[in-house]
Amino acid sequence: MTIQTIGAHPVALGKNPERSREHNRRVVLDVVRRHGSLGRAHIAKLTQLTPQAVANIVDELVGERLLMEMGRLRSGRGQPPIQFAVNPEGGATIGVEIAADHMVAVALDLSGRLRDKRITPLKDTTPDHILSTFAEELSALNRSVASKLLGVGVVMPGPFEIEGMTSVGPTTLAGWAGVDAAAALSKACGHAVVVENDATAAAVGERLFGAGLAISNFCMIYFGVGIGLGIIQDGSPYRGAFGNAGEIGHVTVAPKGRPCPSCGQRGCLEGYASAYVLKEKLAGVGIENCEVADLERLHAAAHPVVEGWVEEAAAYLGPMVAMLENILDPQTVILGGALPDAVIDDIIRRMGNLPTSVASRRQRALPRVLRGQTGQLTAALGAASLPLFHVVTPKLETSLTAIADIPA
Ligand SMILES: [Zn+2]
């Protein structure tokens, strides 16, 4: 769960030459990513590294295939400089979303482009079953992207390490209490694994690849099996002191309401507005094991259970949106995750006139609520980008802009 947050400028970090060399490599990679392609002199000017240091680092990165030569730029008099760009084939990262009922795995190249994806239903959430499925999915993806695997990011439903809330209930992973997930997953696949909560990774995925591309402050209400909140503040995820920020599923929305099977309180948001509750209600009328496509079909046919759930979810989510606006003052609130686009659009429509909040400005660049664009892949895309930051960027915030700026 560690994300590198070293400063964006080249510095001698203490007296450890290895660390400062590693840092300066990231600074060079980052500046090249942000500009698409650059010559050595330009890199030196932008990074304030010496021309000799830049020459050495660029040679090294080209040798490792992380950068590639792009030929010479025609400009002015004299010999035009050789241009360098990030080599998409220089490495790949894999992102895996482990939800209570399915696993999504994606592979990205070094430029952040999607190279392959796999979606597998999970019938069982025990560590044994998940770890073996995880290892199989990973080796299948690894075979399909020929380049070197730079890292693996995994998202799992939080919250992490909360007494009475850890790994219990239908929206979390049964059997994982007390298991060091990152260590177990690393051992299963033989690579270093970074673990993050699903809603935070979904927000990062949306920031990199979807509706959040040009938005640096937003909230993302994420429909997994339960419901979560990812917060992007000044381009970076806000994680809180223990990685549990945004656990809105267990915010009380109905005092004395329905008992919550996950935390034992009453009236949690998750008990009304989660996909789990929708599926439970459908099971109650004999429609079992609904996948996203089934929900889409039932919604299109205006099935009364789906209609009723959408109406109730909208009734609880509207005030939640206004509360998030009042507390966090985001540019917009994005709704996304493992529900059909049409269902999310319908929830937004039925929220109707949102309660007044600090966001009730006449002059708004964006609507108060938007649907996410990365659909079912959003959390897995966010997961895959986690090791990318670790490998090639000096700072998460800078890298988010950097990836968005890389031309296709
Ligand atoms: Zn609860």
Side-chain angles (χ1 to χ4, degrees):
M1 299 225 303
T2 49
I3 292 166
Q4 290 288 315
T5 51
I6 309 164
H9 299 292
V11 282
L13 292 170
K15 291 194 164 55
N16 185 337
E18 257 322 288
R19 264 179 73 194
S20 67
R21 191 181 132 272
E22 186 54 37
H23 176 72
N24 290 343
R25 279 165 51 104
R26 291 177 192 202
V27 170
V28 169
L29 268 172
D30 187 47
V31 82
V32 175
R33 287 156 68 86
R34 271 190 286 163
H35 289 80
S37 68
L38 286 174
R40 290 188 188 92
H42 205 162
I43 296 172
K45 194 175 160 201
L46 292 167
T47 60
Q48 298 166 24
L49 288 164
T50 64
Q52 188 55 51
V54 168
N56 291 344
I57 291 172
V58 167
D59 279 355
E60 203 176 282
L61 294 172
V62 169
E64 292 168 30
R65 300 185 67 238
L66 296 173
L67 286 183
M68 58 184 183
E69 267 191 47
M70 301 294 286
R72 293 181 186 275
L73 186 73
R74 286 180 199 285
S75 66
R77 284 168 291 166
Q79 177 81 303
I82 297 172
Q83 298 291 298
F84 296 90
V86 168
N87 178 8
E89 307 301 329
T93 62
I94 290 180
V96 179
E97 181 197 12
I98 302 173
D101 58 358
H102 68 280
M103 188 181 286
V104 181
V106 300
L108 303 184
D109 67 24
L110 202 53
S111 72
R113 240 171 307 176
L114 180 66
R115 286 301 183 91
D116 199 1
K117 66 164 190 243
R118 299 169 64 85
I119 300 177
T120 316
L122 287 173
K123 297 296 172 207
D124 171 358
T125 64
T126 55
D128 274 355
H129 178 63
I130 285 186
L131 291 172
S132 63
T133 310
F134 174 74
E136 284 162 22
E137 293 298 288
L138 217 70
S139 66
L141 274 186
N142 213 359
R143 277 196 300 275
S144 74
V145 285
S147 37
K148 183 174 142 202
L149 183 60
L150 297 173
V152 181
V154 170
V155 302
M156 302 173 84
F160 299 117
E161 303 300 323
I162 307 296
E163 276 175 46
M165 265 168 84
T166 309
S167 300
V168 290
T171 59
T172 55
L173 298 177
W176 284 77
V179 176
D180 180 343
L185 292 161
S186 296
K187 195 168 166 237
C189 72
H191 297 278
V193 172
V194 185
V195 176
E196 183 58 271
N197 92 45
D198 54 358
T200 297
V204 172
E206 204 63 49
R207 164 79 175 146
L208 288 175
F209 308 107
L213 210 55
I215 312 172
S216 53
N217 286 278
F218 67 89
C219 292
M220 177 164 185
I221 295 179
Y222 176 71
F223 296 98
V225 178
I227 190 163
L229 172 72
I231 303 160
I232 299 288
Q233 197 178 45
D234 298 332
S236 302
Y238 176 79
R239 307 175 63 255
F242 304 97
N244 287 322
E247 196 55 53
I248 54 163
H250 300 288
V251 168
T252 308
V253 293
K256 299 180 185 166
R258 289 175 202 151
C260 172
S262 294
C263 74
Q265 300 182 99
R266 284 184 168 274
C268 290
L269 179 64
E270 198 158 283
Y272 301 89
S274 64
Y276 166 74
V277 165
L278 171 57
K279 289 178 188 179
E280 196 181 54
K281 287 181 174 195
L282 287 167
V285 298
I287 306 172
E288 308 262 5
N289 301 323
C290 273
E291 304 287 335
V292 172
D294 303 318
L295 293 177
E296 190 158 22
R297 193 171 38 77
L298 291 167
H299 178 259
H303 191 283
V305 168
V306 179
E307 293 277 299
W309 176 84
V310 168
E311 190 68 38
E312 190 170 62
Y316 285 110
L317 285 170
M320 184 58 70
V321 165
M323 190 181 85
L324 293 173
E325 291 168 340
N326 280 333
I327 295 173
L328 295 162
D329 194 20
Q331 287 165 278
T332 188
V333 177
I334 297 173
L335 257 60
L339 284 175
D341 287 353
V343 171
I344 295 176
D345 286 339
D346 199 11
I347 292 172
I348 295 173
R349 190 178 56 78
R350 292 199 214 196
M351 282 180 184
N353 289 326
L354 291 163
T356 301
S357 81
V358 297
S360 314
R361 294 182 303 272
R362 215 163 285 168
Q363 303 267 315
R364 287 191 57 93
L366 294 166
R368 284 171 68 180
V369 183
L370 285 175
R371 171 170 51 79
Q373 291 169 3
T374 51
Q376 259 204 299
L377 294 182
T378 180
L381 288 172
S385 60
L386 299 172
L388 209 56
F389 302 140
H390 184 75
V391 173
V392 298
T393 62
K395 199 182 172 208
L396 184 56
E397 183 187 332
T398 333
S399 72
L400 289 164
T401 328
I403 291 180
D405 287 349
I406 288 182

